[in-house]
Amino acid sequence: MTLAERLRAALDAPHGEETILLAGDHFDFDPEIAGHPAAVLIAFTDRTEPGIILTQRTETLRRHPGQVAFPGGRIDPDDDGPVGAALREAEEEIALPPSAVDVIGVVDRYRTVTGYEVTPVIGVVPPDLALVPAEAEVAAVFEVPLAFLFDTANHVEATAQYQGRERRYYEILWGERRIWGATAAMIVNLSRRLRWAA
């Protein structure tokens, strides 16, 4: 079975009620008030030991400078929904051609502390693509093994004070890189949603 077939089967499989998915960065937002629609591309590399492509944002960005993130951003009116936005942003940020992405589907939305309603788009890409970070917003593009990201031993719960309140979040440490906040939460959700035999 190919990676794409495994992912499709895992997405189609019902997940039990015991599967707890993280809804958002914090719990005091009003679910009746819609967030700003956004999308990210979670690109799995099609190799024997798959990985996921991530970016390191530049330190000059106004929002989330220096943080690890998936390629993605706000859904524009001209985009063909979340999939179109995720593919466009990935092309703009890391020069990933949309034609190279085998789109598998979308998974559970995630609400960020900054008010974005993010739809993760799952895709499979060929390994070792020549990806080029957009200098203005992406400092680096790298791949982390899926086995490492999905290992629950690497999902570390932490707390911090945010706007006078204690905020709980996950972080995943990969070498010198710190994956945390919404990106880590979406990885945790995906690992819970896609439990298949490795």
Side-chain angles (χ1 to χ4, degrees):
M1 186 181 291
T2 67
L3 175 60
E5 289 170 341
R6 289 170 65 196
L7 285 169
R8 285 191 176 94
L11 284 182
D12 288 342
H15 55 81
E17 292 181 4
E18 72 280 359
T19 301
I20 299 172
L21 299 177
L22 307 169
D25 283 352
H26 58 104
F27 301 100
D28 58 356
F29 63 81
D30 185 347
E32 298 299 317
I33 300 175
H36 307 294
V40 295
L41 179 66
I42 303 182
F44 289 72
T45 53
D46 193 3
R47 56 174 95 244
T48 305
E49 297 294 333
I52 287 180
I53 294 172
L54 291 161
T55 69
Q56 182 98 37
R57 295 164 63 84
T58 61
E59 295 290 347
T60 55
L61 289 174
R62 188 168 58 88
R63 289 181 179 271
H64 313 296
Q67 289 188 11
V68 172
F70 297 113
R74 186 189 291 265
I75 299 176
D76 289 342
D78 293 339
D79 289 325
D80 184 13
V83 172
L87 294 177
R88 174 183 56 76
E89 289 280 354
E91 185 173 30
E92 292 174 359
E93 292 182 16
I94 60 174
L96 174 58
S99 60
V101 183
D102 180 2
V103 176
I104 305 301
V106 300
V107 290
D108 312 274
R109 284 188 307 232
Y110 187 84
R111 181 72 165 262
T112 71
V113 72
T114 49
Y116 283 89
E117 194 83 31
V118 183
T119 300
V121 176
I122 308 301
V124 174
V125 300
D128 306 315
L129 289 171
L131 302 174
V132 182
E135 191 174 321
E137 53 184 325
V138 179
V141 55
F142 60 99
E143 180 180 339
V144 181
L146 186 63
F148 181 89
L149 290 175
F150 278 14
D151 185 345
T152 56
N154 297 322
H155 301 170
V156 179
E157 286 194 79
T159 60
Q161 290 296 316
Y162 180 78
Q163 295 181 344
R165 301 183 63 178
E166 184 177 83
R167 175 186 170 196
R168 302 184 66 82
Y169 61 92
Y170 279 92
E171 65 179 10
I172 302 168
L173 302 178
W174 167 248
E176 296 181 353
R177 300 191 193 274
R178 178 179 180 235
I179 306 164
W180 71 288
T183 301
M186 284 185 271
I187 290 169
V188 169
N189 274 353
L190 198 57
S191 73
R192 294 173 179 178
R193 185 71 177 86
L194 301 180
R195 293 197 190 281
W196 74 79

